[in-house]
Amino acid sequence: MTQTLSQLEHNGAFIDRHIGPSAEQQAAMLQVTGARSLDELTARIVPVDIQLPAPAAIGDALTEHQALAELRAIASQNQRYKTYIGMGYTPVLTPPVILRNMLENPGWYTAYTPYQPEVSQGRLEALLNFQQVTIDLTGLDVASASLLDEATAAAEAMAMAKRISKLKEANKFFIADDVHPQTLDVMRTRAHTFGFELLVDKAEKAREHQELFGVLLQQVGTTGEVHDYRSLIADMKARKVVVSVAADFMALVMLDAPGKQGADIVFGSAQRFGVPMGYGGPHAAFFAARDEHKRSMPGRIIGVSRDAAGNTALRMAMQTREQHIRREKANSNICTSQVLLANIAGLYAVYHGPIGLKRIAARIHRLTAILAAGLMQSGMTLRHACWFDTLTVEVDDKSAVLGRALDFGVNLRTDIHQAVAVTLDETTTREDIARLFAILLGDNHGLDIDTLDEELLRATPSLPAALLRQDAILTHPVFNRYHSETEMMRYMHSLESKDLALNQAMIPLGSCTMKLNAAAEMIPITWPEFADLHPFCPANQAAGYLQMIGQLSQWLVQLTGYDALCMQPNSGAQGEYAGLLAIRRYHESRHEDQRHICLIPSSAHGTNPASAQMAGMSVVVVACDKQGNIDLHDLRLKSEAAGDALSCIMVTYPSTHGVYEETIREVCQIVHHYGGQVYLDGANMNAQVGITTPGYIGADVSHLNLHKTFCIPHGGGGPGMGPIGVKAHLAPFVPGHSVIQIDGVLTQQGAVSAAPFGSASILPISWMYIRMMGAEGLRKASQVAILNANYIATRLASAYPVLYTGQDGRVAHECILDIRPLKESTGISELDIAKRLIDYGFHAPTMSFPVAGTLMVEPTESESKVELDRFIDAMLAIRMEIDRVAAGEWPFEDNPLVNAPHTQMEIVGDWPHPYSREIAVFPAGSENKYWPTVKRLDDVFGDRNLFCACVPMSDYQ
Ligand SMILES: *Cc1c(COP(=O)(O)O)cnc(C)c1O
């Protein structure tokens, strides 16, 4: 016995699981980079004046099991009441086959946004299914996949209405007064910055208003009324007013499609197609429009194109509309959205098919009818005659009813004057209806469900035939083939195996931090204590959530050096928008409303200018010098020129060029000197955590991408969370919420998301990460991220020049490889290298951002030396292939690079190429081989022939 018990205990064990390279590997890599220790490496790379004097106070690490036990105890403080609150959120029955094979499956949740379509055909097909569901249910031509939530989708619909309106002078937007209150809240926020005048009134009143560019109606009002808006829509259309309709997927299964009734835009939440409420999210929003407006739509559209062999293949269409290219002229700032959740909703439709969905919708409606009949027989009054799943019931003694509800562990909707509302869903049972009778009528109601059901056969239906759907939905084969679990499991597996995710290889994407999403971090999100809560349930029922959110906020405050944290934005870009709004409101509070100029360096991520535009600011670009640093001279000129119109600067740190700019403190000082605020884009926090903080550097506000730095998986393009940290003076100006008010937690300001804490149910992932890493582990993670990047940069330098380095010749946590000289001399481009990496079994690095003709590599701390070496070897081998092209050994038009990637199909056919099949498909050997299922995509064809619905099965042959 040589070791004591405390020596044998290893509370920091998770740190070594999260960090890829072992101590020996780190030592070997340090040697290559010429540093003696991690501390020395960091001290040399990070500017001295921003290195933290003391570590963040967030405590020691716990093991996976300790942390899970601690979080379990917190989760158990949440109370799971049976919830009928509705308002756009209902309990669901997630099909277990989807839960296990998708939501809990790293093959799906660790994938990246499908920018590289050749390694993404599976999730692209799943998203295409989601679009097809949207098209069928809304009755419109084109659908996207997907938006962040219903309320932001409404705000996007309003912005799009302005873009497509022919009435250029009109500046008023009309909203029916029975849209969900959180939808109205988010729209008010957006309308204010866009300078639109909002009118909120009974829908029919829209006819009386002039100068409207758009109206927004909700097919099933927030209190449950199913509207017949056909004539109103026709009248509005006759006046060229753009009509948007909020709708509900489940109701749409039964109701006539608003698109068929003339609506231009139809959107809503896809939550009730199998996605748990999760105290507010994440859920996907669907969005559909007419074909003529497809180029004005917000968000991503998956399109059908063809590959180099002429076969059908899918891709993200019209990427040139995105903020990456159009910056402040982009249609929206949507980057990370809700891919995983859109996939779940799409697969829910695949699994149930049209017959199953109609049965589910009809059952919900039937239960509602039984509830309605019983209440009316008992003398109760329903507020509306036409309803689908929601009844608003007039009650005299509301407190007695609500008291009984609480006794039964039931939440009703309580915020309606002299009434309560009840929304039923697919989890509702006969017993639940009996309980609702007891709550609403008292114990002696004497109602019998079977009798009521029987009587309904002879009663007048609540929904007139004219409002019911007559057309067939989901006729495509994909919705009619996979209804047994075996078929469904295999379909999902077949999609998954087309894709390359972190469970097969590193995804070395610059700026996106594709690190480990540990199993222990993921496990809590499907605990019912977290999954089953309604976002508007009474705060005392969410005590566990509030404690978890409070702790996580405290830790993030420590790690960012700010004073307060706002957990509402559900993506990084939404965080930018929320942060800029806080700056705007702060200036307004000081009577400096004229401050509207937002300085943005030319190297910025495209969401920065797009968010600035959404916040009503004018973008002025600041130049970068030859080393890629912000040109201080230009910054001074632009700040001075802006004068008292200067609102802020948005700066990314370390810069998107992958270096710690030495002058960052000066940048902050200059902007402050001219009265501006500093927004520090926190997407690159993985190079700061434990080493420095935005607050210490001198910034006023930042968003954090919890789905980058803090381990929420990318989900194939979402979900994400983009909370913002702020200095104290901005804290009163961060988003609040009109439905939920919690003193000391939420401000009085307007909202930017539908739910008060955004996508709350994925926060346990970041909580677990921080708890298992502790202060020491987090600092080490940043240091190893820097080490890994420098190891790659050093070893690849002779083959590919590193574009930007810091003052001591090193990079931060990512590096930009300059492919332009090679392209100049050989014609082989960054695109060819990216696609050739697929043959070697890798996802491509980030291409041509932030500099055209480059590849940006961010290995993260989670990749071991073995994996880094495999990547480096692939890159060096590719360099040798390029040399063979340059030497004329392989013709420029026919070589493994320009033909990449190679599929199984092509190697079994004739082989006309001057290189062997082995070189084509096994350049790195046959071990752990990844097979792309399509060849290189034809982008131009796809955009010219935009088609974004499911492909007929015959086309796949
Ligand atoms: C990812 C990223 C963003 C946007 O974040 P999303 O969560 O995708 O909206 C903004 N800035 C930078 C530098 C990023 O890398």
Side-chain angles (χ1 to χ4, degrees):
M1 300 285 265
T2 53
Q3 288 176 301
T4 66
L5 179 58
S6 44
Q7 283 168 333
L8 288 166
E9 282 167 345
H10 188 22
N11 288 357
F14 178 75
I15 299 173
D16 301 333
R17 305 284 182 202
H18 175 83
I19 293 179
S22 64
E24 296 75 46
Q25 290 178 345
Q26 288 173 29
M29 294 196 294
L30 280 165
Q31 200 155 35
V32 172
T33 58
R36 273 189 301 271
S37 68
L38 280 177
D39 282 339
E40 187 204 306
L41 184 71
T42 322
R44 282 214 215 148
I45 294 178
V46 182
V48 182
D49 64 341
I50 64 166
Q51 292 180 26
L52 284 181
I58 52 166
D60 292 334
L62 291 190
T63 68
E64 290 151 282
H65 290 89
Q66 288 166 343
L68 280 169
E70 193 172 306
L71 191 57
R72 256 277 183 230
I74 294 173
S76 69
Q77 297 173 48
N78 289 332
Q79 297 173 53
R80 292 162 57 213
Y81 278 41
K82 180 83 200 174
T83 285
Y84 303 96
I85 296 172
M87 302 175 84
Y89 303 90
T90 64
V92 293
L93 300 171
T94 309
V97 62
I98 297 177
L99 181 76
R100 170 144 299 195
N101 294 287
M102 176 171 275
L103 187 54
E104 299 175 344
N105 178 354
W108 284 99
Y109 66 69
T110 69
Y112 180 58
T113 310
Y115 278 115
Q116 298 287 330
E118 297 83 1
V119 300
S120 315
Q121 290 296 304
R123 56 192 186 277
L124 286 165
E125 182 176 328
L127 288 173
L128 201 68
N129 294 343
F130 176 77
Q131 290 180 179
Q132 183 71 58
V133 175
T134 307
I135 289 170
D136 280 12
L137 291 181
T138 60
L140 283 169
D141 311 314
V142 189
S144 64
S146 50
L147 297 184
L148 291 164
D149 57 37
E150 178 165 334
T152 52
E156 293 293 349
M158 174 173 66
M160 176 169 159
K162 183 68 182 171
R163 280 196 295 280
I164 64 178
S165 170
K166 300 218 162 60
L167 311 171
K168 290 299 165 206
E169 301 303 309
N171 196 42
K172 294 182 187 167
F173 191 84
F174 181 95
I175 306 178
D177 64 358
D178 69 344
V179 304
H180 292 312
Q182 71 274 19
T183 300
L184 189 57
D185 191 356
V186 171
M187 293 186 78
R188 280 193 204 284
T189 308
R190 193 78 65 96
H192 178 69
T193 56
F194 279 154
F196 300 153
E197 187 181 333
L198 278 194
L199 303 163
V200 183
D201 207 338
K202 298 247 166 310
E204 293 299 322
K205 291 275 166 83
R207 299 175 198 275
E208 295 167 20
H209 291 283
Q210 299 308 309
E211 292 163 19
L212 301 179
F213 65 87
V215 300
L216 187 125
L217 310 168
Q218 192 168 303
Q219 185 184 31
V220 182
T222 188
T223 56
E225 181 171 20
V226 176
H227 294 286
D228 183 353
Y229 280 142
R230 287 173 298 173
S231 86
L232 179 60
I233 293 176
D235 290 355
M236 289 293 127
K237 298 278 295 174
R239 283 171 47 189
K240 295 196 166 54
V241 175
V242 179
V243 178
S244 303
V245 176
D248 172 280
F249 254 3
M250 194 59 82
L252 281 174
V253 171
M254 226 170 163
L255 300 179
D256 193 28
K260 294 260 156 60
Q261 300 175 348
D264 300 291
I265 298 169
V266 181
F267 66 90
S269 169
Q271 183 258 319
R272 61 193 304 187
F273 272 24
V275 183
M277 291 186 289
Y279 199 45
H283 317 127
F286 62 88
F287 195 99
R290 305 196 166 279
D291 190 66
E292 66 213 82
H293 299 134
K294 64 192 172 207
R295 283 171 211 276
S296 302
M297 286 175 70
R300 294 183 168 136
I301 300 177
I302 308 307
V304 181
S305 184
R306 60 183 188 201
D307 71 0
N311 294 317
T312 301
L314 312 177
R315 59 187 277 276
M316 291 197 318
M318 301 190 294
Q319 289 185 32
T320 45
R321 306 168 326 136
E322 287 203 32
Q323 9 72 22
H324 299 97
I325 298 183
R326 300 207 53 217
R327 300 172 69 89
E328 72 268 30
K329 297 201 175 57
N331 288 341
S332 77
N333 68 344
I334 305 287
C335 181
T336 295
S337 58
Q338 306 282 20
V339 167
L340 193 69
L341 302 314
N343 283 342
I344 292 176
L347 282 166
Y348 178 93
V350 167
Y351 185 54
H352 288 301
I355 296 173
L357 287 178
K358 280 184 200 156
R359 194 186 55 74
I360 294 169
R363 182 175 164 278
I364 295 171
H365 185 59
R366 186 72 175 184
L367 285 167
T368 314
I370 291 171
L371 181 64
L375 293 176
M376 287 192 296
Q377 273 184 23
S378 311
M380 304 287 281
T381 307
L382 303 182
R383 190 161 292 183
H384 310 299
C386 254
W387 32 258
F388 166 64
D389 64 354
T390 299
L391 303 177
T392 295
V393 188
E394 313 287 348
V395 286
D396 297 331
D397 192 351
K398 192 162 163 179
S399 63
V401 170
L402 295 181
R404 284 196 293 270
L406 289 186
D407 291 343
F408 276 107
V410 161
N411 289 326
L412 306 176
R413 180 168 176 187
T414 61
D415 65 337
I416 304 169
H417 186 56
Q418 287 186 345
V420 293
V422 184
T423 298
L424 305 190
D425 59 75
E426 64 170 328
T427 71
T428 310
T429 61
R430 287 160 182 258
E431 293 70 37
D432 291 328
I433 299 297
R435 210 164 292 135
L436 285 167
F437 282 142
I439 290 168
L440 289 158
L441 304 168
D443 271 343
N444 309 321
H445 56 78
L447 295 166
D448 175 61
I449 294 191
D450 287 325
T451 316
L452 289 165
D453 190 30
E454 188 79 4
E455 287 164 4
L456 277 174
L457 293 172
R458 293 175 297 277
T460 329
S462 97
L463 292 169
L467 291 185
L468 294 180
R469 180 180 288 276
Q470 307 299 337
D471 57 342
I473 50 165
L474 308 180
T475 53
H476 188 275
V478 76
F479 302 109
N480 296 281
R481 284 177 59 158
Y482 307 113
H483 299 160
S484 80
E485 178 160 338
T486 304
E487 290 288 342
M488 184 69 185
M489 171 178 72
R490 288 184 190 149
Y491 176 57
M492 293 173 69
H493 181 73
S494 78
L495 295 182
E496 177 195 342
S497 53
K498 290 179 180 178
D499 290 6
L500 187 63
L502 278 178
N503 63 344
Q504 182 158 7
M506 78 185 277
I507 301 184
L509 283 164
S511 220
C512 284
T513 315
M514 300 292 290
K515 57 163 70 173
L516 171 73
N517 317 116
E521 291 153 7
M522 294 299 291
I523 283 172
I525 65 165
T526 48
W527 289 346
E529 292 84 351
F530 283 133
D532 289 353
L533 261 61
H534 191 287
F536 307 152
C537 72
N540 66 330
Q541 291 171 23
Y545 256 116
L546 296 175
Q547 182 179 345
M548 185 267 294
I549 291 170
Q551 276 185 348
L552 179 59
S553 301
Q554 264 316 307
W555 292 334
L556 294 175
V557 159
Q558 291 290 329
L559 293 171
T560 55
Y562 286 122
D563 300 313
L565 198 106
C566 167
M567 222 33 120
Q568 191 171 109
N570 46 13
S571 77
Q574 289 301 91
E576 294 169 13
Y577 173 60
L580 293 176
L581 285 181
I583 290 176
R584 195 185 146 125
R585 290 164 177 161
Y586 168 74
H587 287 315
E588 283 167 4
S589 77
R590 294 157 48 95
H591 309 292
E592 300 195 345
D593 308 37
Q594 80 287 351
R595 293 193 174 272
H596 69 100
I597 290 179
C598 177
L599 302 175
I600 300 185
S602 55
S603 61
H605 192 269
T607 53
N608 290 184
S611 301
Q613 185 269 341
M614 276 172 52
M617 296 183 180
S618 323
V619 174
V620 171
V621 176
V622 179
C624 289
D625 64 18
K626 279 206 198 63
Q627 286 80 48
N629 298 317
I630 293 176
D631 181 338
L632 287 190
H633 179 66
D634 195 48
L635 176 65
R636 279 204 189 84
L637 284 181
K638 299 273 163 70
S639 306
E640 174 134 28
D644 71 354
L646 178 63
S647 174
C648 59
I649 187 169
M650 293 185 90
V651 46
T652 305
Y653 201 75
S655 77
T656 53
H657 288 157
V659 291
Y660 294 91
E661 288 172 59
E662 297 286 325
T663 54
I664 185 67
R665 272 188 187 277
E666 219 175 326
V667 167
C668 297
Q669 280 152 12
I670 293 170
V671 173
H672 283 147
H673 174 78
Y674 289 97
Q677 293 280 294
V678 177
Y679 186 101
L680 193 146
D681 179 326
N684 287 345
M685 271 303 284
N686 214 44
Q688 286 192 41
V689 178
I691 296 174
T692 184
T693 70
Y696 189 61
I697 289 170
D700 302 289
V701 43
S702 297
H703 74 263
L704 301 170
N705 301 67
L706 297 189
H707 48 294
K708 295 178 180 174
T709 316
F710 294 95
C711 294
I712 292 176
H714 245 73
M721 267 297 277
I724 53 173
V726 291
K727 290 267 172 74
H729 64 283
L730 293 179
F733 304 107
V734 301
H737 201 271
S738 64
V739 179
I740 295 298
Q741 279 107 28
I742 303 176
D743 277 352
V745 179
L746 292 162
T747 67
Q748 302 297 312
Q749 305 288 341
V752 297
S753 301
F757 303 104
S759 298
S761 70
I762 51 177
L763 294 176
I765 302 168
S766 300
W767 189 99
M768 283 291 293
Y769 174 59
I770 295 177
R771 196 72 188 96
M772 294 190 294
M773 293 294 276
E776 185 199 336
L778 290 170
R779 175 175 158 84
K780 193 152 174 208
S782 305
Q783 291 183 315
V784 175
I786 296 169
L787 171 65
N788 279 1
N790 278 282
Y791 177 68
I792 288 184
T794 310
R795 285 209 46 207
L796 286 182
S798 61
Y800 306 95
V802 174
L803 186 55
Y804 299 118
T805 53
Q807 50 143 26
D808 80 328
R810 292 195 175 89
V811 298
H813 65 311
E814 57 192 3
C815 60
I816 298 181
L817 306 175
D818 192 358
I819 312 300
R820 293 170 300 184
L822 268 178
K823 188 172 176 182
E824 186 97 332
S825 58
T826 67
I828 298 297
S829 70
E830 74 284 359
L831 185 74
D832 299 321
I833 297 174
K835 302 304 177 190
R836 182 61 174 151
L837 272 169
I838 298 171
D839 288 332
Y840 282 81
F842 288 98
H843 193 290
T846 300
M847 251 170 32
S848 291
F849 169 79
V851 183
T854 64
L855 293 172
M856 178 156 58
V857 180
E858 178 184 1
T860 83
E861 70 279 10
S862 299
E863 298 301 340
S864 70
K865 179 168 179 294
V866 178
E867 184 70 355
L868 298 181
D869 285 339
R870 198 170 74 86
F871 176 72
I872 291 165
D873 290 346
M875 288 296 287
L876 294 175
I878 288 173
R879 179 57 217 264
M880 274 152 59
E881 291 177 353
I882 299 173
D883 288 344
R884 290 168 78 169
V885 177
E889 197 178 321
W890 289 327
F892 171 71
E893 325 67 52
D894 189 3
N895 59 65
L897 291 134
V898 296
N899 292 337
H902 297 84
T903 62
Q904 276 178 331
M905 278 311 285
E906 64 179 313
I907 56 166
V908 296
D910 289 340
W911 189 254
H913 307 297
Y915 54 96
S916 71
R917 290 176 167 88
E918 286 75 11
I919 287 183
V921 298
F922 295 127
S926 61
E927 186 107 330
N928 193 27
K929 168 68 184 166
Y930 168 76
W931 289 104
T933 52
V934 297
K935 286 194 65 64
R936 199 178 297 189
L937 264 280
D938 186 338
D939 291 334
V940 176
F941 178 85
D943 280 354
R944 289 229 177 98
N945 305 280
L946 187 66
F947 185 81
C948 31
C950 281
V951 194
M953 279 323 219
S954 53
D955 270 30
Y956 279 102
Q957 261 64 82

